[in-house]
């Protein structure tokens, strides 16, 4: 039986209610607007034996691609929605992935049987996590020496026409998604406080932001 480590039961309940049916069409619909995920995976650079955790792994789509791209990596995933993990378990049935129902703001690497992760991936999850700053801190603190945190999420669409921004914002609100205006600066500050180096870039005229924090 899959272990559960959830401290925010209210948020877990909301996510389960939303994804109980959506999980069946999630990947088919999200591929049209969750840009940058494949770029993150291609640039991950996971070495043989590297421990790769995805926070908010959802249906397992990203972990399945990571398994294909880096077949010798050791994969781990967590999501607060037990419903989403039903799909993830099916998608990753032929992999070595270890999955847990867990809160992104309150988990420990040792719960997965490791002391730390070489790569932590957070793809389009921070914009849905109420206490997203705590989730960033938790992810940073689970990195092993030399490890890296990789984030892909919505930017502020700074290069897009105002009407495009309004339409996107209205659409995302329907799914409890809130792009974080200060994502880059806050992540960089938290990484700097831990002696880490941060790289950031914007893609699609600010549609999405990619962030990498490396522990030295």
């Amino acid at each position: 039986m899959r272990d559960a480590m959830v401290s925010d039961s209210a948020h877990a309940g909301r996510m389960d209610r939303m994804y109980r049916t959506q999980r069946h069409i999630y990947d088919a619909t999200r591929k049209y607007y969750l840009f940058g995920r494949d770029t993150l995976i291609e640039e991950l650079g996971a070495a043989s034996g590297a421990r790769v955790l995805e926070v908010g792994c959802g249906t397992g789509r990203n972990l399945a691609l990571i398994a294909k791209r880096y077949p010798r990596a050791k994969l781990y995933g967590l999501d607060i929605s037990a419903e989403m993990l039903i799909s993830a378990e099916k998608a990753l049935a032929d992999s070595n992935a270890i999955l847990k129902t867990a809160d992104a703001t309150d988990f420990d690497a040792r719960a997965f049987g490791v002391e730390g992760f070489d790569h932590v991936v957070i793809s389009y999850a921070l914009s849905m996590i109420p206490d997203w700053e705590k989730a960033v801190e938790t992810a940073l603190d689970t990195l092993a020496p030399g490890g890296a945190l990789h984030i892909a999420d919505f930017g502020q669409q700074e290069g897009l026409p105002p009407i495009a921004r309004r339409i996107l914002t209205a659409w995302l609100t329907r799914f409890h998604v809130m792009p974080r205006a200060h994502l880059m600066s806050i992540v960089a500050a938290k990484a700097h406080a831990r002696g880490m180096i941060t790289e950031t870039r914007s893609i699609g005229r600010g549609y999405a932001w990619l962030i990498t924090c490396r522990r030295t």
Side-chain angles (χ1 to χ4, degrees):
M1 181 179 294
R2 189 191 329 122
D3 295 334
M5 303 176 289
V6 175
S7 55
D8 189 343
S9 57
H11 183 52
R14 286 193 297 272
M15 294 299 99
D16 275 343
R17 287 190 295 274
M18 183 167 69
Y19 289 126
R20 186 163 289 121
T21 55
Q22 278 195 40
R23 68 182 178 86
H24 299 290
I25 60 171
Y26 184 91
D27 290 330
T29 56
R30 268 55 174 187
K31 68 180 181 179
Y32 296 109
Y33 62 90
L34 298 187
F35 305 129
R37 297 179 298 172
D38 294 348
T39 299
L40 183 157
I41 292 169
E42 186 62 29
E43 297 178 353
L44 197 63
S48 177
R51 296 155 295 181
V52 181
L53 168 73
E54 182 174 16
V55 174
C57 64
T59 63
R61 181 264 188 194
N62 293 335
L63 281 176
L65 289 178
I66 291 171
K68 184 176 181 180
R69 177 67 178 81
Y70 307 100
R72 296 186 179 181
K74 299 177 180 178
L75 305 182
Y76 307 84
L78 68 85
D79 202 286
I80 201 167
S81 171
E83 291 290 334
M84 281 296 239
L85 289 182
I86 295 173
S87 293
E89 288 174 339
K90 293 179 180 178
L92 296 161
D94 295 329
S95 77
N96 61 17
I98 296 174
L99 304 176
K100 293 185 180 292
T101 308
D103 193 324
T105 68
D106 186 20
F107 71 93
D108 190 283
R110 287 171 292 185
F112 290 87
V114 299
E115 291 300 314
F117 299 101
D118 302 298
H119 300 274
V120 175
V121 172
I122 311 181
S123 173
Y124 286 93
L126 294 176
S127 50
M128 296 191 71
I129 298 172
D131 193 358
W132 66 274
E133 293 189 32
K134 182 63 163 51
V136 171
E137 293 172 354
T138 303
L140 290 170
D141 290 339
T142 61
L143 290 174
L149 169 63
H150 311 263
I151 297 171
D153 216 312
F154 291 104
Q156 291 297 294
Q157 300 84 49
E158 53 269 25
L160 298 179
I163 188 163
R165 295 200 297 271
R166 289 195 295 270
I167 292 172
L168 179 61
T169 299
W171 172 257
L172 295 178
T173 300
R174 294 182 59 189
F175 299 100
H176 308 286
V177 177
M178 182 180 296
R180 308 304 182 182
H182 304 291
L183 178 64
M184 282 189 181
S185 60
I186 288 177
V187 171
K190 293 181 183 299
H192 179 74
R194 292 163 172 77
M196 300 176 65
I197 299 171
T198 302
E199 303 168 2
T200 64
R201 79 179 191 265
S202 173
I203 62 174
R205 299 171 67 184
Y207 182 93
W209 291 344
L210 298 178
I211 307 169
T212 303
C213 306
R214 301 186 186 280
R215 184 181 294 281
T216 57

